[in-house]
Amino acid sequence: MASLSSQMNVIVEKTKNLIQLCEALQEENDLLKLEVQSLQVAFETSSEKVKQLEENVKALAVAKTLDNSSIDKEAINEKVLDTKQKINDFVREIDKCINLLR
């Protein structure tokens, strides 16, 4: 009878350990779900920025093709350089977002 009692005690202890492990895993799962949601929001935001930048690049390409002789070429070059700098800054920010998602 003592053997049966000790076996039951072992089973009860193992069951308690399994329940504790299950609870810890459930908490970790909840935290991971929150992290996934956060990363999805960051990804959607960066995707939206990429779309905006692509539109800006298209607009810049159209602007480059237009040859307006009444505008000073030096002013155009400054604007082009300024726009390129802004695009480069946006691209760097997108790269940072992408690196955070990895």
Side-chain angles (χ1 to χ4, degrees), residues 48-61:
E48 198 60 37
K49 282 186 178 182
V50 167
K51 287 179 186 177
Q52 290 174 353
L53 288 173
E54 287 172 348
E55 289 175 14
N56 288 347
V57 168
K58 288 178 185 177
L60 182 60

Side-chain angles (χ1 to χ4, degrees), residues 21-80:
L21 181 60
C22 182
E23 290 171 351
L25 289 173
Q26 285 175 339
E27 288 178 19
E28 184 178 356
N29 189 30
D30 291 340
L31 291 173
L32 290 173
K33 284 180 181 179
L34 288 174
E35 185 178 353
V36 165
Q37 288 176 345
S38 172
L39 290 174
Q40 284 174 336
V41 168
F43 178 74
E44 290 169 5
T45 302
S46 63
S47 295
E48 198 60 37
K49 282 186 178 182
V50 167
K51 287 179 186 177
Q52 290 174 353
L53 288 173
E54 287 172 348
E55 289 175 14
N56 288 347
V57 168
K58 288 178 185 177
L60 182 60
V62 169
K64 279 185 175 182
T65 59
L66 298 175
D67 186 17
N68 191 348
S69 61
S70 65
I71 299 176
D72 185 36
K73 282 199 170 203
E74 187 174 314
I76 290 175
N77 287 338
E78 285 181 6
K79 288 183 180 183
V80 167

Side-chain angles (χ1 to χ4, degrees), residues 8-26:
M8 285 299 292
N9 287 337
V10 169
I11 290 172
V12 168
E13 283 302 314
K14 287 185 178 183
T15 304
K16 285 181 184 178
N17 288 339
L18 283 174
I19 289 171
Q20 289 175 348
L21 181 60
C22 182
E23 290 171 351
L25 289 173
Q26 285 175 339

